[in-house]
Amino acid sequence: MHHPPPDPTRPPLLAVPDIPAAAPVGPGDTFGHPGASAHASYRRRRAAEWRLYQRTLLLRLAGVALTGLVATLAVGQVAPALAGWAGLVTAGLVGWRLRFRVSQDARNWQRGARGERRTARQLNRLARYGWVVFHDLAVPDSRANADHLIIGPAGVFLLDSKNWRGHLAFAPDGTLWHGSYPLTATLATIGFEAAAIAGALAVPGLAVEPLLVVHGSTIPWGEQYLGGVAVLPASRLVATLLALPVLLTDQQVTQLAGRAMARLHPAL
């Protein structure tokens, strides 16, 4: 596969110190499990909510039985033939309202895991172009995790996947919002994670570029660049990366990927 010629306006990467990787690494390789941390968080929250629900289960069952009995007695005074059906229907409706339901917070983690897996399917297309892809890495000196780290001819990029609904919009002060939530803190977090990973790789002259990859929401004017973070729809991700000028040779990609393998670790 032929890449575009190097861009003379972008300085070449300095020599990458050689650190033996835990396993052989080469262009086109993929490591990690996309969405693993988010899915684990969803399961932990769901389990905690289920335990809390179980504490009130007997009360809920008693409430269902009591409302069914009251309905049976009440209807029985007017239409005895329908009393049994009225009790069953009432108990069923109350039971449905009192059923176990996972909170919106937990579902957001599940939705986020789906978004990471969707991004991973997009990134699989980069393998034939000499990119190395890492999923779900622990961010050094932090409790956060990096959704995707990709290393290829165009450089090193940290991707954060968001699986949202609705539109993104600008406020009068120029900040970008998702619904009623400003994205200032989100963009700052992605920038921090990119800087932390660049520090862990410790290669002079290396910049890890942060990208916010959005599924499901419309971005004003198609894409944005705010606070040092590129915000773009998932549908444009691969095309955008492949259109960038070449910065790294295949050997540098392999060296950097090996260094990432040695210095970074899975989040789980």
Side-chain angles (χ1 to χ4, degrees), residues 156-159 187 190-191 194 208-212 225 227-231:
V156 183
F157 299 84
L158 173 70
L159 278 58
L187 297 175
I190 300 170
V208 176
E209 304 289 346
L211 297 178
L212 179 62
Y225 189 80
V229 181
V231 184

Side-chain angles (χ1 to χ4, degrees), residues 33-53:
H33 302 282
S37 292
H39 186 68
S41 294
Y42 162 73
R43 295 188 65 178
R44 284 195 299 269
R45 284 165 171 75
R46 188 183 189 281
E49 292 169 7
W50 172 244
R51 288 193 296 270
L52 184 61
Y53 177 85

Side-chain angles (χ1 to χ4, degrees), residues 69-93:
L69 178 60
V70 170
T72 299
L73 295 175
V75 175
Q77 295 178 1
V78 180
L82 299 177
W85 285 107
L88 288 173
V89 170
T90 302
L93 290 174

Side-chain angles (χ1 to χ4, degrees), residues 58-256:
L58 291 179
L59 289 176
R60 293 171 187 268
L61 293 175
V64 171
L66 181 59
T67 53
L69 178 60
V70 170
T72 299
L73 295 175
V75 175
Q77 295 178 1
V78 180
L82 299 177
W85 285 107
L88 288 173
V89 170
T90 302
L93 290 174
V94 173
W96 176 256
R97 291 294 301 273
L98 297 178
R99 74 192 187 279
F100 174 70
R101 285 171 285 184
V102 179
S103 69
Q104 184 60 53
D105 177 65
R107 288 200 298 270
N108 286 342
W109 285 98
Q110 184 184 44
R111 184 176 176 84
R114 293 195 191 107
E116 291 182 42
R117 291 193 290 268
R118 291 176 65 185
T119 300
R121 288 194 288 272
Q122 296 266 9
L123 296 176
N124 287 340
R125 297 162 52 193
L126 292 175
R128 73 188 71 171
Y129 298 98
W131 290 74
V132 181
V133 179
F134 297 88
H135 300 295
D136 201 38
L137 292 173
V139 176
D141 301 320
S142 169
R143 299 177 61 184
N145 75 292
D147 292 349
H148 322 273
L149 179 70
I150 58 174
I151 303 171
V156 183
F157 299 84
L158 173 70
L159 278 58
D160 191 286
S161 295
K162 298 298 182 186
N163 194 12
W164 286 334
R165 295 187 178 95
H167 296 276
L168 304 183
F170 279 105
D173 62 358
T175 58
L176 188 63
W177 290 62
H178 173 234
S180 58
Y181 297 97
L183 298 185
T184 305
T186 299
L187 297 175
T189 298
I190 300 170
F192 159 78
E193 293 173 354
I197 287 178
L201 294 177
V203 176
L206 174 68
V208 176
E209 304 289 346
L211 297 178
L212 179 62
V213 183
V214 179
H215 297 269
S217 292
T218 302
I219 302 172
W221 298 289
E223 58 186 62
Q224 292 294 326
Y225 189 80
L226 300 167
V229 181
V231 184
L232 71 161
S235 59
R236 294 191 184 183
L237 174 60
V238 173
T240 298
L241 291 171
L242 294 180
L244 294 174
V246 170
L247 177 62
L248 304 177
T249 65
D250 287 344
Q251 181 182 6
Q252 288 174 319
V253 169
T254 298
Q255 289 175 320
L256 276 172

